[in-house]
Amino acid sequence: MSATVDIADAAARLGRAVSRRRRALGVTQADLAALAGVSTRSVTALEAGKPTTRLDIVLPVLAALGIDLVAAAERR
C-alpha cells in the first residue's frame, strides 16, 4: 500500500485556509505572528503555501486562529 501526497498542494490549501480565517477575524499578519509567537515572515510564508514551513510554526498559528489540525485516513 503506497500513499502519495502532493505536499505543495496541501501547503497551498493550508495557506489559503489560514489567510481566510485571519482576514475573517480582522487580524493582520503582524498581529497573528505576535499572538502565535512566530515571526511575521513565517506567517507570510505559511499563507503563501511554502511547503517547507515547519510544524513549530504551523501549529501555534493554527491554535491562535482557533483552527484544529485533523489527520484522517482516506476511505477507498
Side-chain angles (χ1 to χ4, degrees), residues 26-53:
V27 176
T28 67
Q29 288 180 331
D31 291 337
L32 176 56
L35 289 169
V38 302
S39 70
T40 303
R41 186 175 182 180
S42 294
V43 171
T44 302
L46 174 57
E47 288 189 5
K50 183 178 177 188
T52 57
T53 304

Side-chain angles (χ1 to χ4, degrees), residues 7-66:
I7 296 297
D9 181 57
R13 288 191 339 244
L14 180 61
R16 287 190 300 272
V18 166
S19 179
R20 279 192 307 270
R21 176 70 172 158
R22 176 184 59 76
R23 286 182 279 126
L25 294 173
V27 176
T28 67
Q29 288 180 331
D31 291 337
L32 176 56
L35 289 169
V38 302
S39 70
T40 303
R41 186 175 182 180
S42 294
V43 171
T44 302
L46 174 57
E47 288 189 5
K50 183 178 177 188
T52 57
T53 304
R54 299 182 330 246
L55 282 177
D56 63 337
I57 301 297
V58 173
L59 297 178
V61 170
L62 295 181
L65 292 172

